[in-house]
Every structure is written in structure tokens, then in C-alpha cells.
Amino acid sequence: MAVTPALPVRWPAEAIWEAVAPALPGFTVEILPAVDSTNSELMRRARAGRAEPVLLVAEQQTAGRGRMGRQWHSGAQTAGQRGQALTFSLGLNLAPADWSGLSLAVGLSVAQSLHPDIRLKWPNDLWWHDRKLAGILLETVNRGEAGASRYVVIGIGLNLLVPDATGLSTAPAGLLELLPGVDAAQALSLVAAPLVQTVQRFEAHGFAPFQKAFNMRDALAQLPVTLSDGLQGVAQGVDASGALRVASAQGVQRITSAEVSVRVQPAPGYGHV
């Protein structure tokens, strides 16, 4: 029996460029058939002096990275054969007055573009039904003097299919559970242009304009949480700078950097964490 060769994915590169380029001069969209990590590739380019605004998409990512050194793998994307995940990075120069809360604004943008039921787990994850749907990794290269702009690389790994949960501390979810029939190209077309707009709005105004919308999707709201440093308390949303507020025995604490885990079952109606 003859085997029909897999066709390349029809990525919406031109449509994304047309939507973004007027507000981001020099912007390009680049699709790589395979790369170790889209974040790693853009960081290498930036350190070599190439700091142009670009959306870099990998059809296959072999050594993807998440927070805390974790790995994120994605299979090949071909027409008629869905890959397990959409992996891409946005690189651009930014000079916000305060960098606090950028990852939260990014997560909010992706969630708003995809589905109203997606929730946000501070600081870097998208959840659906208490399972991890996507993760975000931000990295920066300082390009000059203190206070000058930095080249920021915003990496996003979004599950399409539900991956193998072996070894994962949080059960995974897949976008196909929410949007049946969606593929990587369609998901990219939904999130890319709004993401750039969000990042530019953050640069101009900081996290404060996003605070209310983030708290409306907060997956940890009013749940008992345990932080990596051992602090325990009840999560009470984020403040205008993106810090997580935790009511503890020592009073309300502002958490700006920690690994958060839920230590008890959530309220009825939200399933298990």
C-alpha cells in the first residue's frame, strides 16, 4: 500500500506578520522544522547581537525548557498528524518601568485568547480543571546600561494532546479537550497577535491594568497553599505589581518569587488539585 507523504503545516505566518508589524517595526515570523529550544535559540541570537523582534515557532522541539530547569518536549507538527504541543517564543526589546508581573500578563493574554474556562496558576502556568495546560518561561538579555531596554524572550509551551503524565507533579491537560479539532497553526493564530499587544501594553502601563482580569481567573484564589520556603497560608489573589498575596499566621505576605503548591483539596466544584 502506498503511503502518502505528510504535508507541511500551513502556518499563519503572513497573517500574524500583517497584524503585528505595523505596531512593531522590523517584526518577523520564523518557522523552524526542528530546534533544541525556541527560547535557547533566541537567547543565543541575542547574545550574538541579533536582537530583532521575532516570533519563532518550532515544528519539533527536542530540548525545551521550563521553569526550574524542567524539560518540555513536543513532537513533530505535520498536516494530518497532530503534534502533542505548540511551542514558540516571542523575542523583542522592552523597557518597562517595572518588570514585575510580566509573566502573569502573558499567561492572561494566552488564556483570554483561547477559552473562558482556562485558569491561571501563579506565576507561570495555565490550568484547566486543575490540570496544567501550558507553561511560560521568560528570559532576558541586558543590552546596555542600567535602566536601558532588555531583550526579552517569552517562551510558551501549550499542550494540544494530553501528554503522558508519568513523573509529572501536576496532571496535564490538552487544548483539544477544550477546542476539539484545533491544531497548532490554529492555536498560534489565536494567541500570537494579542500576545504582542499585551506585552506592549505592559511595557507602557505595567501589570496594574491586568490585575482584575488575572484575579478573575486565579486558580489559587482562597485555597490553602504551601510555598517552596515552607510558608503556608491562604492565597488571596495578586496585587497591582503581580505579587501573590498569602494570608499566613504571620499576616498577609507578598510573594514575588516562589514555587507554589496546593496542599489541601479545593472547594467543592473545582475537582482535585
Side-chain angles (χ1 to χ4, degrees):
M1 181 178 66
V3 177
T4 302
L7 299 174
V9 174
R10 297 185 62 180
W11 294 99
E14 184 174 356
I16 292 171
W17 179 84
E18 290 176 347
V20 172
L24 189 60
F27 174 74
T28 61
V29 180
E30 186 175 347
I31 312 296
L32 295 182
V35 71
D36 56 349
S37 158
T38 54
N39 260 44
S40 294
E41 175 63 18
L42 290 189
M43 290 294 286
R44 286 191 292 264
R45 295 182 187 184
R47 292 184 180 116
R50 297 176 56 190
E52 64 274 5
V54 59
L55 181 73
L56 183 65
V57 182
E59 293 186 324
Q60 184 175 14
Q61 186 170 254
T62 58
R65 296 180 292 111
R67 293 182 71 242
M68 312 293 287
R70 299 186 182 98
Q71 292 185 329
W72 186 294
H73 295 283
S74 65
Q77 300 282 354
T78 56
Q81 177 183 357
R82 298 186 196 279
Q84 288 191 343
L86 167 65
T87 53
F88 67 94
S89 296
L90 172 66
L92 73 170
N93 290 294
L94 289 182
D98 185 353
W99 288 86
S100 303
L102 176 56
S103 66
L104 280 66
V106 167
L108 175 63
S109 176
V110 175
Q112 289 176 327
S113 295
L114 292 175
H115 199 281
D117 291 341
I118 296 174
R119 306 180 80 202
L120 300 162
K121 177 182 177 288
W122 186 93
N124 291 85
D125 293 342
L126 277 66
W127 276 12
W128 184 67
H129 287 189
D130 300 317
R131 294 180 290 142
K132 183 174 177 177
L133 177 67
I136 298 163
L137 176 64
L138 268 60
E139 299 178 281
T140 64
V141 175
N142 195 331
R143 301 190 60 230
E145 301 174 358
S149 68
R150 297 182 189 175
Y151 189 75
V152 60
V153 177
I154 301 167
I156 296 175
L158 171 65
N159 295 330
L160 298 176
L161 298 174
V162 180
D164 182 4
T166 303
L168 299 178
S169 59
T170 301
L175 188 61
L176 281 161
E177 297 178 275
L178 293 83
L179 301 175
V182 73
D183 61 19
Q186 292 165 340
L188 183 68
S189 70
L190 291 174
V191 303
L195 175 59
V196 175
Q197 295 165 3
T198 292
V199 172
Q200 291 182 317
R201 185 183 180 199
F202 176 90
E203 181 179 33
H205 304 291
F207 179 73
F210 304 99
Q211 178 190 8
K212 181 177 179 180
F214 184 95
N215 282 331
M216 290 178 65
R217 290 178 181 259
D218 183 8
L220 300 181
Q222 301 306 312
L223 291 183
V225 295
T226 299
L227 276 62
S228 54
D229 62 3
L231 178 70
Q232 296 183 343
V234 176
Q236 296 190 331
V238 301
D239 65 18
S241 70
L244 179 67
R245 300 176 72 251
V246 176
S248 70
Q250 295 77 38
V252 176
Q253 309 291 316
R254 292 180 67 257
I255 310 302
T256 58
S257 178
E259 190 79 356
V260 179
S261 60
V262 179
R263 62 179 173 85
V264 299
Q265 299 298 339
Y270 288 106
H272 296 285
V273 174

